[in-house]
Amino acid sequence: MPRLLLLRHAKSSWLNPSLDDFDRPLNDRGRAAAPVMGMYMAREGFRPDHVLCSSSRRTRETLACVMPHFKGEETVAFRDDLYDSSEDTYLEIIREHGGNADSLLVVGHNPATRETARSLIAAGSRDLRARIDEKYPTASLAVIDFDVPGWADILPMSGRIKAFMRPRDLQMEDDPGL
């Protein structure tokens, strides 16, 4: 059963207004939140076999912060087409490039990350679905399970929400402001 992990990039910096949006780095809050999400993913067993990551700087930096918490056996592909795309594009990329992974992590951007989650989830906790409908903050993770043979078989409204975690939901002793 395929499992999709949809991670929105962590909080990015706007300190340098001359930077192109694609090149914006993470800010301090983002650099603190991303590893916390990686720890959460590892603790809960949400470890990917394969990663599809937008090639923007902030998504690559987010991935670099969560990767140390994985097995180290996952494959990674950086994709330009995950930047500034729609949920239709995300679904197409997932279906075509999920490969043989049982668990696929997509590190992307809003609104596509949120809209992809909303378009795929048909079942599971109403509370989790309502939280996704309300807002998909930076560094948030949706975990969606599918009862289909492979990624090519994923259709809209075919998934079950397993988890939705935001950095602020994780109690952090050193920085409760995440």
Side-chain angles (χ1 to χ4, degrees), residues 37 131 134-135 137 139-141 164-170:
M37 293 307 292
R131 286 174 47 201
E134 178 185 326
K135 190 173 182 185
S140 292
L141 174 76
F164 179 65
M165 186 59 62
R166 304 167 293 197
R168 73 173 181 227
D169 297 328
L170 299 169

Side-chain angles (χ1 to χ4, degrees), residues 7-26:
L7 180 65
R8 182 179 175 197
H9 66 78
K11 195 78 166 166
S12 60
S13 173
W14 290 89
L15 288 178
N16 185 348
S18 67
L19 273 181
D20 184 70
D21 180 69
F22 186 86
D23 297 321
R24 284 189 295 116
L26 295 182

Side-chain angles (χ1 to χ4, degrees), residues 46-130:
F46 300 143
R47 292 182 175 145
D49 302 311
H50 185 53
V51 179
L52 300 174
C53 181
S54 165
S55 53
S56 76
R57 181 173 176 183
R58 61 189 176 273
T59 50
R60 289 182 288 118
E61 288 182 3
T62 299
L63 181 61
C65 290
V66 300
M67 288 290 285
H69 304 282
F70 300 157
K71 296 180 271 187
E73 300 169 3
E74 56 285 323
T75 57
V76 178
F78 294 99
R79 302 194 53 88
D80 291 339
D81 52 0
L82 286 171
Y83 177 78
D84 200 22
S85 297
S86 70
E87 70 271 14
D88 293 333
T89 302
Y90 273 41
L91 179 56
E92 180 181 318
I93 292 166
I94 291 165
R95 293 179 75 195
E96 291 181 15
H97 301 281
N100 295 325
D102 291 325
S103 181
L104 175 66
L105 171 61
V106 176
V107 185
H109 307 267
N110 259 3
T113 300
R114 176 179 175 225
E115 294 309 314
T116 299
R118 292 176 72 200
S119 72
L120 291 174
I121 298 168
S125 166
R126 288 182 189 202
D127 177 56
L128 294 179
R129 289 187 277 167

Side-chain angles (χ1 to χ4, degrees), residues 128-156:
L128 294 179
R129 289 187 277 167
R131 286 174 47 201
I132 291 169
D133 285 343
E134 178 185 326
K135 190 173 182 185
Y136 207 114
T138 53
S140 292
L141 174 76
V143 179
I144 307 166
D145 289 336
F146 299 90
D147 189 18
V148 296
W151 296 108
D153 304 301
I154 301 294
L155 296 171

